[in-house]
Amino acid sequence: MSMKKYKQSKADIAKQFDLPERQSKITSLLNQAGQAYCICRSSDSSRFMIACDSCEEWYHGDCINISEKEAKYIKNYFCDRCREEDPSLKTKFRPQKRENDGDSGREEGRKKKKEKEHSENKSSKRPTKDGCGDCPGCLQLADCGHCEACEDMYKYGGANKLKLKCKQRICVKAKKSSRVSSSNRIKKKHHERETYEPEESIAHLQTSEPRHCYGPQCTRAAQYGSKYCSAQCGMRLATARIYQVLPQRIQEWSLSSCVAEQHNRKALEVVRSGLAKAQGALRALDKQHSELDALLERAKHATIQHSDEKELDDETSMYCVTCGHEIHSRTAVKHMEKCFVKYEAQASFGSRHRTRIDGQSMFCDYYNPGNGTYCKRLRVMCPEHFKDPKVSDTDVCGCPLVRNVFDPTGEFCRAPKKSCLKHYQWEKLRRAEVDMERVRQWLRLDELVEQERSIRLAMASRAGVLGLMLHSTYNHEVMERITKANENGKLKESS
């Protein structure tokens, strides 16, 4: 347990603590007189010091012959006085790592890894036997010039990095018998890797005789290893199949009801009702904001009415939750508000995006050119960029009075605004409550809009062309009715 202290003033030490609730404790610690440490009994704390883990007394390192470098390896330190009282106490040291042992172990591991890779490369580079001589790959004499291996060759303008044989000249039988080792495989990126296709699927296409193209109304020969003469013929055949199959799949889809579609419609109704509620709550909050403006306007035209009741002298006191000082209970609310504003102004809440909401803006949105951010506090509660207006001697408090906590009386406080401590900054708190509820409703709206978008996307993609082509719905009850109707029609025609 070691400690190194530097020469700092009491004010610099206090600035290092950001939590305001610790201010009272810090003040009491700083006000203590200089204590005496070590066997030299001096109050000098600028040198390196180490503490005893038993009595927690601090000692100078040069007084007990322990340097700061040696202290890094001490796990538990006990002073001479504690060891005399309890002989079982002994100073414990941390184990020191040997750098040479670790380096030698790493080098041996690297050598073994290199030897293993070298042996694998040797075994993988053994020459393979010649082909069978009978398959289409062995009978092919010239390179195709179109596969990946050919495009990498020098004669076709490649860099010859793969160093592979033309895929159409590879023996089919030898490819079945030989298995390529994992060390000899070429690592490719995910989007460059080829999909595995068994050779038996295209073996009947690799023939020396020309074959007819499968394209509709095409009279040309197909390419080697393909069913079509060109990609356009394959696209035309796929289009014709879609036109042939898709109408029947659409009819099947319309005959049977989808349970997922019904669930999505119910969820969409719930989302829309939530959107309507959130919009109604926003309109109610706008109404509360206008009513608050009307109350303040009415208080401006009212006159001050001094009360004859004398306030009782209350000598009770309390401690501020922010700064920790002792304050009078009568001025506690005002003092705590000022302390909160003071410490709140030291922090910043910013974003690089400006608020864009139609209507009244709730946020401060003051641009800080140093950080390039916009302030995201509520406008009425931002102590950093907006100050409260000055209160004159003729201003009336104007706080609406209530009976039994919740029942409004229709009257308002006519006491001077400067001296009314019962309703201190009531209009600021009311506006903050309204604006905070607005923020909650806007967040709720954003969440509901995202849910509606995801539901609509699921409904739109369910009956897409790809989904209808890949999946077929067979309704046995409907199809039985159709077949019975067709059979009855045939019987009537025959009779």
Side-chain angles (χ1 to χ4, degrees), residues 426-483:
W426 68 273
E427 69 277 6
K428 182 178 179 180
L429 297 177
R430 290 278 182 90
R431 288 187 189 277
E433 288 176 1
V434 173
D435 289 346
M436 199 65 219
E437 189 61 28
R438 276 180 175 174
V439 173
R440 293 193 188 98
Q441 295 301 328
W442 277 110
L443 291 175
R444 179 64 178 161
L445 276 175
D446 188 30
E447 182 183 353
L448 291 172
V449 167
E450 183 64 23
Q451 290 180 9
E452 184 181 7
R453 187 193 67 81
S454 62
I455 292 171
R456 288 184 177 277
L457 181 63
M459 293 173 68
S461 60
R462 184 169 292 115
V465 175
L466 184 61
L468 291 173
M469 293 294 293
L470 293 177
H471 308 287
S472 175
T473 305
Y474 190 87
N475 195 331
H476 294 273
E477 296 178 357
V478 176
M479 295 306 293
E480 285 177 1
R481 293 175 191 170
I482 295 173
T483 52

Side-chain angles (χ1 to χ4, degrees), residues 14-127:
K15 287 179 181 177
Q16 295 177 2
F17 296 86
D18 295 333
L19 296 176
E21 56 269 14
R22 297 185 180 178
Q23 191 65 30
S24 59
K25 293 183 180 181
I26 297 165
T27 307
S28 61
L29 289 173
L30 293 176
N31 291 334
Q32 291 180 358
Q35 297 181 4
Y37 306 101
C38 192
I39 56 177
C40 62
R41 308 313 296 166
S42 65
S43 60
D44 182 17
S45 61
S46 60
R47 293 178 289 166
F48 163 72
M49 301 180 75
I50 187 170
C52 176
D53 289 322
S54 178
C55 62
E56 297 185 356
E57 177 69 22
W58 290 90
Y59 295 92
H60 295 114
D62 50 5
C63 291
I64 57 176
N65 295 325
I66 294 177
S67 64
E68 185 179 358
K69 188 176 181 180
E70 294 172 351
K72 293 180 180 179
Y73 300 101
I74 295 176
K75 187 176 182 181
N76 294 321
Y77 171 73
F78 301 101
C79 62
D80 296 338
R81 185 177 61 183
C82 294
R83 280 182 287 177
E84 289 175 0
E85 294 176 358
D86 187 2
S88 63
L89 297 176
K90 293 182 180 180
T91 302
K92 295 181 180 180
F93 294 87
R94 294 188 178 93
Q96 299 182 14
K97 295 181 180 179
R98 296 182 181 180
E99 297 179 357
N100 297 332
D101 295 346
D103 294 341
S104 61
R106 290 174 187 170
E107 289 178 0
E108 290 178 1
R110 290 173 185 171
K111 287 181 180 178
K112 289 180 180 178
K113 190 175 181 181
K114 285 183 179 179
E115 290 175 359
K116 188 177 180 181
E117 291 177 355
H118 187 66
S119 62
E120 288 178 355
N121 291 335
K122 279 186 175 180
S123 62
S124 63
K125 290 180 180 178
R126 291 173 184 173

Side-chain angles (χ1 to χ4, degrees), residues 291-342:
E291 289 175 355
L292 184 58
D293 291 338
L295 285 173
L296 295 174
E297 188 67 25
R298 185 178 65 170
K300 286 181 181 179
H301 300 290
T303 56
I304 296 175
Q305 183 178 355
H306 296 279
S307 60
D308 297 333
E309 298 178 0
K310 293 184 178 179
E311 296 181 359
L312 299 174
D313 294 335
D314 191 4
E315 296 299 332
T316 59
S317 62
M318 61 180 66
Y319 290 93
C320 178
V321 295
T322 305
C323 65
H325 288 88
E326 187 178 1
I327 53 177
H328 197 277
S329 60
R330 187 169 176 272
T331 59
V333 178
K334 195 171 183 179
H335 175 85
M336 291 180 185
E337 177 69 19
K338 288 183 178 179
C339 282
F340 174 76
V341 168
K342 177 182 176 182

Side-chain angles (χ1 to χ4, degrees), residues 163-441:
K163 297 180 180 179
L164 297 175
K165 195 176 180 180
C166 177
K167 290 185 178 181
Q168 295 186 7
R169 295 183 62 187
I170 297 174
C171 179
V172 177
K173 296 180 181 179
K175 200 169 186 180
K176 292 179 184 177
S177 60
S178 64
R179 294 182 180 179
V180 183
S181 62
S182 59
S183 61
N184 198 26
R185 289 176 184 170
I186 300 168
K187 294 183 179 179
K188 297 182 181 181
K189 295 181 181 179
H190 182 71
H191 63 277
E192 293 180 352
R193 291 177 185 172
E194 298 178 357
T195 56
Y196 174 76
E197 291 182 1
E199 293 296 330
E200 291 81 6
S201 61
I202 60 171
H204 64 284
L205 302 177
Q206 297 176 344
T207 58
S208 56
E209 297 85 6
R211 294 170 294 99
H212 195 277
C213 176
Y214 282 20
Q217 300 177 358
C218 182
T219 58
R220 288 180 288 184
Q223 293 181 357
Y224 180 80
S226 175
K227 298 178 182 179
Y228 312 103
C229 62
S230 62
Q232 287 76 13
C233 273
M235 295 291 289
R236 283 198 294 270
L237 181 61
T239 306
R241 286 177 177 173
I242 290 174
Y243 283 131
Q244 183 180 1
V245 177
L246 191 60
Q248 183 182 358
R249 298 291 172 87
I250 293 174
Q251 186 179 5
E252 292 175 358
W253 174 265
S254 59
L255 289 174
S256 60
S257 60
C258 181
V259 179
E261 191 80 10
Q262 295 175 2
H263 289 325
N264 284 343
R265 286 176 182 174
K266 290 180 181 178
L268 198 59
E269 291 177 0
V270 173
V271 169
R272 286 174 179 172
S273 63
L275 287 170
K277 289 180 182 178
Q279 291 172 357
L282 285 174
R283 288 192 292 269
L285 291 171
D286 292 338
K287 187 178 179 181
Q288 290 182 18
H289 199 278
S290 59
E291 289 175 355
L292 184 58
D293 291 338
L295 285 173
L296 295 174
E297 188 67 25
R298 185 178 65 170
K300 286 181 181 179
H301 300 290
T303 56
I304 296 175
Q305 183 178 355
H306 296 279
S307 60
D308 297 333
E309 298 178 0
K310 293 184 178 179
E311 296 181 359
L312 299 174
D313 294 335
D314 191 4
E315 296 299 332
T316 59
S317 62
M318 61 180 66
Y319 290 93
C320 178
V321 295
T322 305
C323 65
H325 288 88
E326 187 178 1
I327 53 177
H328 197 277
S329 60
R330 187 169 176 272
T331 59
V333 178
K334 195 171 183 179
H335 175 85
M336 291 180 185
E337 177 69 19
K338 288 183 178 179
C339 282
F340 174 76
V341 168
K342 177 182 176 182
Y343 286 104
E344 185 73 10
Q346 296 176 3
S348 62
F349 303 90
S351 171
R352 295 189 178 276
H353 305 283
R354 190 172 184 177
T355 307
R356 297 182 179 180
I357 299 177
D358 297 336
Q360 297 179 356
S361 179
M362 302 163 290
F363 298 99
C364 173
D365 276 338
Y366 180 85
Y367 182 70
N368 187 358
N371 300 331
T373 57
Y374 295 91
C375 180
K376 290 303 171 186
R377 287 193 186 93
L378 292 177
R379 184 188 293 270
V380 293
M381 298 295 291
C382 183
E384 190 177 359
H385 307 117
F386 288 93
K387 294 183 179 180
D388 297 332
K390 293 183 179 181
V391 181
S392 62
D393 297 334
T394 59
D395 288 347
V396 180
C397 175
C399 181
L401 302 176
V402 293
R403 186 188 299 109
N404 297 330
V405 182
F406 298 107
D407 301 331
T409 60
E411 298 293 332
F412 58 91
C413 179
R414 294 178 179 270
K417 196 171 186 178
K418 272 188 174 181
S419 59
C420 185
L421 298 175
K422 292 182 180 179
H423 315 118
Y424 182 71
Q425 291 190 349
W426 68 273
E427 69 277 6
K428 182 178 179 180
L429 297 177
R430 290 278 182 90
R431 288 187 189 277
E433 288 176 1
V434 173
D435 289 346
M436 199 65 219
E437 189 61 28
R438 276 180 175 174
V439 173
R440 293 193 188 98
Q441 295 301 328

